[in-house]
Amino acid sequence: MGTKGDGNRQRIVDAADKLFYRRGYNQTSFQDISDATGIPRGNFYYYFKTKDEILNAVVNSRMDELSEMLNHCEAETDDARGRLLLFSNMLEVNQDKVIESGCPIGTLSSELAKNDPTLHTKSKQTFVLLRNWVKQQFDTIGLSNADELAMDLLAKLQGVAVLACAFKDVEYVKRSHQDIKNWINDKTLN
Amino acid sequence: MGTKGDGNRQRIVDAADKLFYRRGYNQTSFQDISDATGIPRGNFYYYFKTKDEILNAVVNSRMDELSEMLNHCEAETDDARGRLLLFSNMLEVNQDKVIESGCPIGTLSSELAKNDPTLHTKSKQTFVLLRNWVKQQFDTIGLSNADELAMDLLAKLQGVAVLACAFKDVEYVKRSHQDIKNWINDKTLN
DNA sequence: GTCTATATGTAGATAGAC
DNA sequence: GTCTATCTACATATAGAC
């Protein structure tokens, strides 16, 4: 807190964030992060005891950014439907990254599910955050099955992300995004 | 062909298939496959020049199994809707594995998208096989947007698989499978 | 706080005896 | 065809000088 190293710590987290997304957690080495930041490998252990701790910091950082984005959606409009539509825009806004590397939340979760359960649980937190926020929007409208609708919306986004990345298809993303917006309207308009 | 080593070759492929699914391609070592089969590490290079070649053989093996399964769906009924419903049962039949490790096709594709493009292209073949088969079923019914419907169905399955694995939720799988069956009926019943 | 040098383990891949 | 021994590279992690 307030010490000189905080800048370096954040630079490590930011570089790891991008690399974990683009290459995966397991395929990202300390050397990769060192190359990206200019900070020597050995120095990382001053900030983090293990690679797991870097992942922890990355997930926390992602959740902070996500919360900010969701707060922005809330600030834009009082209408829950409008908030959900804004949220769903994420898919098309990030379409290039999604086509290249998939959804950062989904792919990290899928990767870590095959390794350490502790790491998988940590990565899951981002999904929980999303699920609760989306549920809250459906709740506001007064829908009794808000949590199921939240899961359905997240599943739609994840499914599109997996196929968009597999087939590298921009048009598919655009079409699917429109389908999702139609679905949101369908569920939220009485 | 017909030589003594074919049995060992298949044992390697089968063990690698399971390990690539449960631990991921990158996280599976030759030692892991050796432990699973009892065949020494160094022996693998008699059958495969590189690890990539093992992946190639695994994907080919998976496509053979998948083709067999799809042929089985076709043999069961002449009704395209019935075939699609049978196909969608895959989700609930394999629910335990899906919850533990996700969809074998989707997670492999997502993993390899972050590494070698060549490997990703290879893994994509399984998706292409599925897409074409599902499209063919919708075609049979006479739907003009058969390919879009095929992508939509695959996306639904992938989305459910990602979330089922992330949240480890059996009830969610069962409910979503029912939703998918309803969707298939909705699209195929005039 | 920052850096270099290094320890230790294990990965994929090879050589060569049998 | 099958196996052991080994090579080379690189992974995470540590020790200790500055």
Side-chain angles (χ1 to χ4, degrees):
Chain A
M1 305 293 216
T3 60
K4 197 178 173 189
D6 279 3
N8 277 346
R9 192 195 137 96
Q10 193 56 44
R11 282 171 60 214
I12 292 169
V13 171
D14 290 344
D17 188 351
K18 283 184 190 144
L19 287 164
F20 289 174
Y21 179 32
R22 295 168 55 138
R23 304 196 196 174
Y25 171 74
N26 292 301
Q27 290 303 107
T28 298
S29 69
F30 282 58
Q31 186 61 52
D32 293 330
I33 305 175
S34 174
D35 292 344
T37 56
I39 299 166
R41 283 184 302 290
N43 203 334
F44 296 171
Y45 293 89
Y46 175 74
Y47 303 101
F48 308 95
K49 276 195 280 291
T50 64
K51 193 184 178 185
D52 299 5
E53 285 196 8
I54 299 184
L55 177 78
N56 227 278
V58 165
V59 173
N60 287 338
S61 170
R62 286 187 184 184
M63 287 199 293
D64 287 346
E65 278 183 36
L66 186 60
S67 293
E68 222 172 293
M69 192 269 271
L70 297 175
N71 286 337
H72 177 74
C73 290
E74 294 189 24
E76 282 287 309
T77 173
D78 284 340
D79 178 31
R81 180 174 63 254
R83 290 173 175 176
L84 289 169
L85 289 170
L86 276 175
F87 164 69
S88 78
N89 287 343
M90 198 170 47
L91 182 61
E92 204 166 330
V93 168
N94 298 317
Q95 63 179 6
D96 291 347
K97 291 177 188 172
V98 170
I99 284 170
E100 188 171 331
S101 306
C103 168
I105 305 167
T107 55
L108 185 67
S109 174
S110 293
E111 179 185 2
L112 298 179
K114 295 173 190 289
N115 299 149
D116 186 351
T118 307
L119 295 184
H120 179 247
T121 300
K122 180 63 192 177
S123 75
K124 181 181 147 184
Q125 290 181 0
T126 323
F127 264 136
V128 173
L129 179 67
L130 270 183
R131 179 181 182 170
N132 287 337
W133 186 85
V134 174
K135 175 183 182 298
Q136 198 179 0
Q137 306 315 311
F138 285 118
D139 268 334
T140 301
I141 299 168
L143 293 164
S144 61
N145 56 340
D147 186 57
E148 293 189 0
L149 289 168
M151 287 293 277
D152 290 346
L153 178 53
L154 294 189
K156 281 175 188 292
L157 292 167
Q158 288 302 316
V160 172
V162 170
L163 292 193
C165 178
F167 289 104
K168 309 294 182 200
D169 188 337
V170 191
E171 288 311 310
Y172 167 70
V173 175
K174 291 186 190 299
R175 172 180 78 79
S176 297
H177 180 215
Q178 188 57 54
D179 289 346
I180 288 170
K181 284 190 288 188
N182 291 342
W183 180 86
I184 291 171
N185 279 323
D186 189 51
K187 292 294 175 185
T188 58
L189 286 167
N190 297 347
Chain B
M1 305 294 214
T3 61
K4 195 177 171 190
D6 281 3
N8 277 346
R9 192 195 137 97
Q10 193 57 45
R11 283 170 61 214
I12 292 168
V13 171
D14 289 344
D17 188 352
K18 282 187 190 139
L19 287 163
F20 290 174
Y21 179 33
R22 295 167 56 134
R23 304 196 196 175
Y25 172 73
N26 292 301
Q27 290 302 107
T28 297
S29 69
F30 282 57
Q31 185 61 53
D32 292 331
I33 304 173
S34 174
D35 291 344
T37 56
I39 299 167
R41 282 182 301 294
N43 203 335
F44 295 171
Y45 293 89
Y46 175 74
Y47 303 100
F48 308 95
K49 277 195 280 290
T50 63
K51 192 183 179 185
D52 298 6
E53 284 195 8
I54 299 183
L55 177 77
N56 228 276
V58 165
V59 173
N60 288 338
S61 170
R62 286 187 185 185
M63 287 199 294
D64 287 346
E65 278 183 36
L66 187 59
S67 293
E68 222 172 294
M69 193 269 272
L70 297 175
N71 287 336
H72 177 73
C73 289
E74 294 188 23
E76 282 287 309
T77 174
D78 284 338
D79 178 31
R81 178 173 68 252
R83 289 174 175 177
L84 289 169
L85 289 170
L86 276 175
F87 164 70
S88 79
N89 286 344
M90 199 172 44
L91 182 62
E92 204 165 331
V93 168
N94 297 318
Q95 63 180 5
D96 291 347
K97 291 176 187 173
V98 170
I99 285 170
E100 188 170 331
S101 306
C103 169
I105 306 167
T107 54
L108 185 66
S109 173
S110 293
E111 178 185 2
L112 298 179
K114 296 174 190 288
N115 299 150
D116 188 351
T118 306
L119 296 183
H120 178 248
T121 300
K122 180 63 190 176
S123 75
K124 181 181 146 184
Q125 290 181 0
T126 324
F127 264 137
V128 172
L129 179 68
L130 270 183
R131 179 182 181 169
N132 287 337
W133 186 86
V134 175
K135 174 184 182 296
Q136 198 179 359
Q137 307 315 311
F138 283 118
D139 267 333
T140 301
I141 299 169
L143 293 164
S144 61
N145 56 340
D147 186 57
E148 292 189 0
L149 289 169
M151 287 293 277
D152 289 346
L153 178 52
L154 294 189
K156 281 175 187 294
L157 292 167
Q158 288 302 316
V160 172
V162 170
L163 291 193
C165 176
F167 288 105
K168 309 295 181 198
D169 188 337
V170 190
E171 288 311 311
Y172 166 71
V173 175
K174 292 186 188 300
R175 171 180 78 79
S176 297
H177 180 214
Q178 188 57 55
D179 289 347
I180 288 169
K181 285 189 287 189
N182 291 341
W183 179 86
I184 292 172
N185 281 322
D186 190 50
K187 293 293 174 185
T188 58
L189 286 168
N190 298 345

